[in-house]
Amino acid sequence: MNYIVMDLEWNQSYSGHMGEHPRMPFEIIEIGAVKVDKNFNIIDEYCSLVRPRIYKKLHSKIRSILNYDEYDLNTKGRGFKEVCNEFLKWCGDDYMFCTWGPMDLTELQTNMDFYYMPKLPRPVKFINLQQIYADKASGKDKRSASVSKLEKAVSELNIPEDMPFHSALNDSKYTALVMKAMKPKNINNQYSFDLYIHPSDIKDEITDRHNNMYEYITRTFKTKQEALDDPKVSEVRCYKCNKKVTKKIKWFANSPSSYISVGKCWHHGYFCGKIKFKPDNEGYYIVKTIKPIDKSGIEEINIKQEEIRERRKEKRHNK
Ligand SMILES: [Zn+2]
């Protein structure tokens, strides 16, 4: 298997929302990628400009960072469908997308949908190098992990900056160099699921164990309550042995869009369950994760729960 480290450049309406096409708010104008082997060496590269069809004038913000302009796009670019088909063929049969953040894969699929191209085979897994970098930079304290720009990672890792940024090919090369410099262990296990299309049916739901966690991505429920009433959503299983266990802290809303709980397995210790509600057109689908947690993490959850209780009490008194 090869890694396809991909980077895209896109343009948007020059006149803001008014001139925006609802099916394609961002139009891809360049696809760049490098093929990376299992030792993280670059073995091939792909690059092509795309001739825009919807937003023919570059947005001023975008024009200012690019190393090319409308003239280059119109003379050197080709139609999106042609370029995208060529690119996917270049990727080969056995590959994993690697990107700096989740946006590039979303925009690639939005543009493919705009041209009614066949969908990528699901589920789409990818390696989010921005997230891996953030987790690594924050060390053990994963709760403080914050994502950073590619330029920042390149400079922090002392990678020579001898190519201009904001060209899709150069940025994909820099991303591959960051990947190599991080020397990630078990990288094949550190994938994320792309949620551009989430399961529509119970049979498409995703249940997976990877990267020291359990993950469950559901179909759509009409309401949050309907989701919480579903036994497979509310049950807590050990992230390692999959045994159903009793909860130490029952599910509670720690934010408007998420619930957390804590459980304990006699063999594998404490773990934290998280339910995230993701809105879609018909209601909500759920991304549930179960990950190991330490004593200080549990303490933090206890404090959070206490705060929420206090606030609720105050509200009742003030009525
Ligand atoms: Zn267990």
Side-chain angles (χ1 to χ4, degrees), residues 238-243 245 265-269 271:
C238 171
Y239 69 101
K240 248 186 180 156
C241 65
N242 208 29
K243 271 204 191 95
V245 295
C265 167
W266 287 106
H267 296 287
H268 301 110
F271 46 84

Side-chain angles (χ1 to χ4, degrees), residues 218-232:
T218 72
R219 65 197 185 275
T220 300
F221 295 92
K222 282 193 193 76
T223 62
K224 288 182 184 174
Q225 195 53 51
E226 193 187 312
L228 290 169
D229 290 341
D230 187 275
K232 206 179 163 189

Side-chain angles (χ1 to χ4, degrees), residues 112-176:
M112 286 169 74
D113 268 356
F114 182 82
Y115 291 101
Y116 302 103
M117 291 174 68
K119 301 211 184 309
L120 296 174
R122 304 215 72 82
V124 177
K125 292 177 187 175
F126 72 106
I127 295 174
N128 183 347
L129 292 163
Q130 187 183 43
Q131 191 58 54
I132 293 174
Y133 183 76
D135 289 345
K136 217 179 162 77
S138 68
K140 271 189 93 181
D141 188 15
K142 294 211 166 168
R143 273 153 286 153
S144 71
S146 66
V147 296
S148 56
K149 282 193 166 177
L150 179 60
E151 286 98 316
K152 192 165 168 254
V154 167
S155 126
E156 283 170 354
L157 291 168
N158 298 315
I159 293 167
E161 296 173 43
D162 46 11
M163 313 173 277
F165 282 94
H166 303 299
S167 109
L169 181 59
N170 290 354
D171 285 5
S172 67
K173 281 182 186 166
Y174 277 127
T175 308

Side-chain angles (χ1 to χ4, degrees), residues 15 38 59 80 84 110 138 149 175 184 188 222 262 281 290 310:
S15 52
K38 64 178 192 321
H59 189 281
F80 176 80
C84 188
T110 309
S138 68
K149 282 193 166 177
T175 308
N188 291 345
K222 282 193 193 76
V262 173
N281 293 335
I290 296 178
E310 286 299 320

Side-chain angles (χ1 to χ4, degrees), residues 45-63:
E45 58 182 60
Y46 179 88
C47 185
S48 187
L49 290 179
V50 176
R51 191 173 56 239
R53 188 190 284 183
I54 304 298
Y55 312 122
K56 297 193 172 163
K57 194 170 170 183
L58 288 172
H59 189 281
S60 50
K61 206 169 65 190
I62 289 161
R63 176 200 297 273

